[in-house]
Amino acid sequence: MDAPDVLAHSIAAPALLAPRGEVLVRRLLEQLGEDPQREGLVNTPHRVWESLSQLTSGYDQDVMDVIGDAVFSESYNEMVVVRDIEFYSLCEHHMLPFFGTCHVAYIPDGRILGLSKLPRMVDLFSHRLQVQERLTTQIAEALEEAIGPRGVGVVIEASHLCMMMRGVEKQSSRTTTSAMRGLFQTDPRTRSEFLNLINGS
Ligand code: ZN
């Protein structure tokens, strides 16, 4: 019940030299009624902390780290679409995974982006505690800022374990979010071309 006391107690525990995150995971295991010393759990705090650090590694980078010098001058002015970018993120309300596919499109205005950078941008923002709505918007805004295109469209379809495993337990429901900027917002033909392309027609 008393958080500061709980912390002081766990820091005095055998794992004195363990990173603070590992100490907290060990304490969490105790709170769940587990014995962190039993064989199967002895290295679990270390593994959980490593895994959580990796899944939230997007805090340590910004978009320019990812894009680097992969912006190219090019007169191509049709739609560029990268569909079915797989992603895994953690919902910020339960710290449970949500995952699915992200479709990103843009219409260049003199500059294009190396294609491999789009999945890396998706990773950058999904490796943070997120809500799907913000993830969608951040990808669209980052692309807009990076190359100033005539329009950007981002659609994310995801399954949320916090809905599937607990709460309403709707295993088959998927959530779709979209962010449209520029021509994707103002021109219905552009938007429907994008939506047709990602729906495979
Ligand atoms: Zn959640």
Side-chain angles (χ1 to χ4, degrees):
M1 286 297 145
D2 185 339
D5 184 49
V6 162
L7 268 184
H9 172 75
S10 59
I11 286 165
L16 192 60
L17 297 176
R20 190 174 166 82
E22 292 185 24
V23 173
L24 292 171
V25 175
R26 188 170 290 109
R27 188 70 186 130
L28 180 63
L29 287 169
E30 286 169 7
Q31 288 291 308
L32 292 170
E34 267 293 356
D35 170 13
Q37 302 304 324
R38 76 176 170 83
E39 194 185 353
L41 291 181
V42 142
N43 291 318
T44 297
H46 173 69
R47 285 188 292 258
V48 170
W49 189 245
E50 288 247 303
S51 129
L52 206 47
S53 301
Q54 195 226 322
L55 297 176
T56 56
S57 59
Y59 290 116
D60 299 332
Q61 301 173 294
D62 72 31
V63 178
M64 292 323 290
D65 295 333
V66 165
I67 291 176
D69 54 2
V71 176
F72 309 101
S73 294
E74 187 59 60
S75 58
Y76 182 83
N77 58 8
E78 300 295 326
M79 190 180 297
V80 177
V81 184
V82 179
R83 50 180 264 190
D84 297 324
I85 301 168
E86 196 180 341
F87 79 92
Y88 297 87
S89 190
L90 291 173
C91 90
E92 68 183 16
H93 301 135
H94 305 95
M95 292 177 69
L96 284 171
F98 69 98
F99 56 94
T101 50
C102 178
H103 315 286
V104 182
Y106 68 96
I107 298 177
D109 188 13
R111 290 190 295 173
I112 59 168
L113 189 63
L115 286 180
S116 68
K117 300 303 180 184
L118 291 171
R120 293 199 57 201
M121 277 170 62
V122 172
D123 281 346
L124 166 75
F125 292 113
S126 58
H127 285 172
R128 297 177 181 184
L129 299 184
Q130 278 289 7
V131 295
Q132 184 177 332
E133 295 87 339
R134 187 171 66 236
L135 175 60
T136 313
T137 306
Q138 283 178 334
I139 295 165
E141 286 174 352
L143 185 54
E144 228 180 358
E145 268 178 41
I147 54 169
R150 296 170 67 212
V152 173
V154 178
V155 169
I156 292 182
E157 300 168 295
S159 301
H160 292 248
L161 286 189
C162 63
M163 280 178 74
M164 296 163 77
M165 295 175 70
R166 54 166 292 288
V168 290
E169 293 193 24
K170 295 293 183 223
Q171 274 81 4
S172 59
S173 74
R174 292 183 35 100
T175 304
T176 303
T177 47
S178 68
M180 304 289 176
R181 298 287 186 275
L183 285 179
F184 289 73
Q185 194 170 41
T186 57
D187 179 7
R189 285 169 308 171
T190 300
R191 187 167 54 241
S192 63
E193 182 187 345
F194 171 46
L195 297 177
N196 286 338
L197 283 167
I198 66 176
N199 289 320
S201 54

